[in-house]
Amino acid sequence: MEDYHQPAKRMRSDSPSIAPFNGEGVDLSLLEAVEKSAQNGGVEVLDVRALKKLVLAFERRLRDNLEARMKYPDQPEKFADSEVELHEEIERLRILAGAPELYPELLALNTVPSLVGLLGHDNPDIAVDVVSLLMDLTDEDVIGEDDDNEEPVRALVDALLENNALELLVQNLARLSEADPDEAAAIHSTLSTIENLIEVKPAVAELVCERTKLLRWLLGRIKVREFDANKQYASEILAILLQNNPANQKRLGQINGVDAVLQAVAVYKSRDPNTEDEEEMLENLFDCLCCLLMPMENKERFLKSEGVELMIIIMKQKKSAYGSAIRALDFAMTKYSPACERFVDVLGLKTAFAAFMGGILRGSRRDRLLSKFVENEFEKIDRLMELYMRYSDRVKSETQRLDALELDDLEIDEEELYNRKLEAGLYTLQLIAVILGHLWSSDHPRIRERIELLLKQNRLTKNDVGEILQEYHDNIGDLDGPEEKERAQAKIQKFISAL
């Protein structure tokens, strides 16, 4: 902005109250002495001496601008030049990002309060300059691979927090308009700065939600239907704030966050993202949703907002969000029976079962699915067999109980007998058997070896699984038409034959 000729912007009348900036607390006499002893010309070598010269020049321009604005509050042309000069000095300070070892000196010169105070400058352009500077000073590249840089950067972050940088950064967001490309870029820079602060000091993730209205701002941003870079970044920051943070998960739930995230996800219930960036944003939104579903009270909100129904709709459409919807349902139903009951009531089992009945996975997706059953020493197959034995025992127990009864006296026919077994867990057992059949039919040698080993350990054979599948095959109904019944039976018969 060297050729800056834009008139100074006045603070918008509807902007939030932002703390005024000031230049107090800086030893200008010391800095002036350094400047007088320095040679004229630009900064060539960045050392303590050069740093003090930079800071002195910045503080002088800040003071001049403050005085001009106080003297001519209604005459922008009188302080416009001082604003351009202040902008130039802020730009020069960005060189400090290449010398984090000088941060302790920067703090000793008490420059941070002046910089942070400028986030509330009447001219948003000056606030934008400071946001860009703070983003550079706290960037992860500043630390790099040099551990010696960690402490100076951490000290700078602590100073920023002490001087209410979080509050001012978020308040400044409220007065930035994305209709202005420069201010839209400043919003992105603000989010980047907040992310940098969290990277350096993870506790900031909770502090920023305690002290500011950032969560509300982020919710409002992701609810905008049109996709852009700032919406993507807002979804990423929201996911970072919620990850492994129960306090933030509960806070967001209390401000209607569950419903807001569901609204943002619903845009993609029947269409795929258009770009890789938009796809990444959708993944971020589902990450947010899954994090939100950790606290029990948010599971209740998910249920009331018809989240179960939305996830099933997304699954039925079989778009790119299909797998994410399954993951969200997993979080929603874990240790929360009302969600499980709703899932069954709205025929969710039929939709979920389709994942194992029809060619939803192809190529690399199929390989990724199989790899999940192999990883961690086949723990998922072990768990599957554990569930198989549990429900098998339940069904056997119910069958023995029914066999001991005089069925003729109770007027129980074969259909009623089958329904009793279903209620005892036969349907779940059949689904598990279908999964085992699916895995066996994959022809994956290690998976087959593991299934055979587990069957042997439980004194079972493949025929036992085949019998469960055969009973399921024989009782498949034609609710969806004869062609669908025939297709489903053919799929099950394939599993039986493979076993």
Side-chain angles (χ1 to χ4, degrees):
M1 210 162 86
E2 293 296 332
D3 54 348
Y4 175 88
H5 296 296
Q6 181 178 350
K9 296 181 182 178
R10 301 294 310 206
M11 180 180 288
R12 296 174 175 82
S13 60
D14 60 345
S15 60
S17 175
I18 301 179
F21 67 95
N22 63 74
E24 297 178 357
V26 180
D27 190 347
L28 292 179
S29 61
L30 172 63
L31 297 178
E32 287 170 355
V34 172
E35 185 182 53
K36 288 177 181 177
S37 65
Q39 296 180 350
N40 293 330
V43 177
E44 297 180 357
V45 178
L46 190 57
D47 54 16
V48 175
R49 186 186 187 92
L51 168 66
K52 291 180 178 178
K53 184 177 180 180
L54 283 170
V55 170
L56 173 61
F58 162 71
E59 293 289 353
R60 275 186 161 175
R61 300 309 179 200
L62 171 58
R63 181 182 59 191
D64 292 346
N65 179 247
L66 176 61
E67 290 176 351
R69 276 187 167 270
M70 292 179 65
K71 189 174 182 179
Y72 307 105
D74 299 320
Q75 297 177 270
E77 66 277 5
K78 296 286 188 178
F79 54 74
D81 289 343
S82 69
E83 228 132 271
V84 173
E85 293 169 349
L86 177 58
H87 155 75
E88 292 172 349
E89 294 304 328
I90 295 173
E91 285 293 299
R92 291 191 180 100
L93 288 175
R94 298 177 73 166
I95 194 175
L96 296 176
E101 68 277 5
L102 294 178
Y103 285 7
E105 291 296 331
L106 183 68
L107 300 180
L109 292 170
N110 204 28
T111 312
V112 170
S114 298
L115 286 172
V116 172
L118 283 174
L119 291 170
H121 196 281
D122 282 0
N123 184 350
D125 289 340
I126 296 298
V128 166
D129 291 337
V130 175
V131 170
S132 297
L133 173 61
L134 295 181
M135 179 181 68
D136 289 348
L137 295 179
T138 57
D139 192 273
E140 61 179 354
D141 291 338
V142 173
I143 297 177
E145 298 180 358
D146 190 347
D147 293 339
D148 292 339
N149 292 336
E150 289 186 15
E151 191 57 38
V153 176
R154 190 173 292 110
L156 173 62
V157 169
D158 287 338
L160 291 171
L161 297 178
E162 290 171 5
N163 285 278
N164 302 319
L166 289 176
E167 292 86 338
L168 292 169
L169 282 167
V170 176
Q171 286 182 37
N172 193 52
L173 279 174
R175 64 169 178 162
L176 295 176
S177 169
E178 294 191 74
D180 183 326
D182 290 337
E183 294 189 12
I187 289 174
H188 198 279
S189 298
T190 301
L191 297 178
S192 181
T193 302
I194 292 172
E195 182 181 13
N196 292 345
L197 298 178
I198 295 173
E199 285 286 335
V200 175
K201 189 170 184 176
V204 171
E206 191 161 335
L207 284 175
V208 72
C209 296
E210 284 179 357
R211 298 180 179 180
T212 76
K213 296 181 179 180
L214 179 61
L215 286 178
R216 287 188 181 276
W217 186 91
L218 292 171
L219 281 184
R221 194 59 189 79
I222 65 170
K223 287 169 69 176
V224 175
R225 293 186 66 87
E226 293 75 17
F227 172 78
D228 57 30
N230 282 347
K231 182 177 181 180
Q232 177 189 359
Y233 207 177
S235 69
E236 183 178 342
I237 296 299
L238 190 59
I240 290 172
L241 294 174
L242 295 175
Q243 187 174 11
N244 300 321
N245 197 313
N248 286 348
Q249 293 162 6
K250 292 178 180 179
R251 283 192 186 95
L252 195 63
Q254 291 166 358
I255 59 173
N256 206 29
V258 174
D259 189 66
V261 175
L262 285 173
Q263 289 182 40
V265 165
V267 174
Y268 300 93
K269 65 183 178 183
S270 58
R271 75 171 181 89
D272 287 331
N274 295 321
T275 65
E276 289 186 3
D277 287 340
E278 192 172 2
E279 184 176 351
E280 181 181 332
M281 182 205 66
L282 182 56
E283 291 176 3
N284 290 337
L285 291 174
F286 272 103
D287 286 343
C288 293
L289 185 58
C290 290
C291 288
L292 273 172
L293 289 170
M294 297 296 286
M296 192 62 65
E297 56 265 40
N298 285 345
K299 294 177 188 284
E300 297 174 4
R301 295 182 176 109
F302 179 81
L303 202 62
K304 291 179 181 178
S305 296
E306 299 185 348
V308 172
E309 290 84 345
L310 176 60
M311 295 304 107
I312 291 175
I313 290 173
I314 293 174
M315 290 169 64
K316 286 181 177 178
Q317 294 296 324
K318 298 177 185 176
K319 298 297 182 180
S320 61
Y322 179 89
S324 298
I326 294 176
R327 183 161 59 98
L329 283 172
D330 183 24
F331 276 85
M333 294 189 291
T334 298
K335 297 181 180 179
Y336 187 57
S337 58
C340 299
E341 293 166 1
R342 175 73 64 83
F343 181 74
V344 173
D345 291 343
V346 296
L347 304 179
L349 282 174
K350 176 183 176 182
T351 305
F353 187 51
F356 299 100
M357 290 294 293
I360 292 171
L361 295 172
R362 291 286 187 268
S364 61
R365 288 186 175 180
R366 176 180 177 277
D367 294 337
R368 287 201 299 271
L369 174 63
L370 293 176
S371 69
K372 289 294 183 181
F373 286 93
V374 175
E375 68 184 11
N376 298 326
E377 298 182 348
F378 305 94
E379 66 175 4
K380 292 181 177 63
I381 296 180
D382 293 353
R383 175 60 174 160
L384 199 61
M385 187 56 67
E386 178 185 335
L387 292 171
Y388 181 94
M389 294 306 301
R390 179 189 301 175
Y391 285 96
S392 178
D393 290 340
R394 289 183 183 178
V395 173
K396 286 179 181 177
S397 177
E398 178 65 7
T399 301
Q400 292 171 358
R401 188 185 71 81
L402 292 172
D403 288 344
L405 297 174
E406 294 294 332
L407 299 184
D408 291 338
D409 295 339
L410 295 175
E411 297 182 353
I412 297 179
D413 57 18
E414 288 296 318
E415 183 178 351
E416 179 64 16
L417 181 62
Y418 183 70
N419 287 335
R420 293 283 185 94
K421 290 164 65 177
L422 287 176
E423 293 173 358
L426 177 59
Y427 184 58
T428 302
L429 180 62
Q430 290 171 342
L431 295 184
I432 296 171
V434 169
I435 297 172
L436 290 172
H438 218 300
L439 291 173
W440 186 269
S441 298
S442 70
D443 291 325
H444 194 294
R446 296 180 63 197
I447 287 179
R448 283 191 167 191
E449 289 174 5
R450 190 67 173 188
I451 292 175
E452 282 193 308
L453 174 63
L454 293 172
L455 288 172
K456 185 176 181 181
Q457 288 177 349
N458 288 284
R459 298 180 181 179
L460 295 173
T461 68
K462 291 180 292 179
N463 289 335
D464 293 305
V465 180
E467 289 175 3
I468 299 296
L469 289 174
Q470 188 64 56
E471 186 175 22
Y472 177 74
H473 170 280
D474 295 341
N475 286 278
I476 291 177
D478 59 355
L479 185 63
D480 295 323
E483 291 184 0
E484 181 63 20
K485 175 182 178 179
E486 183 178 346
R487 188 196 65 80
Q489 287 183 324
K491 193 74 172 181
I492 298 300
Q493 188 59 52
K494 178 184 175 181
F495 296 159
I496 296 172
S497 300
L499 288 165

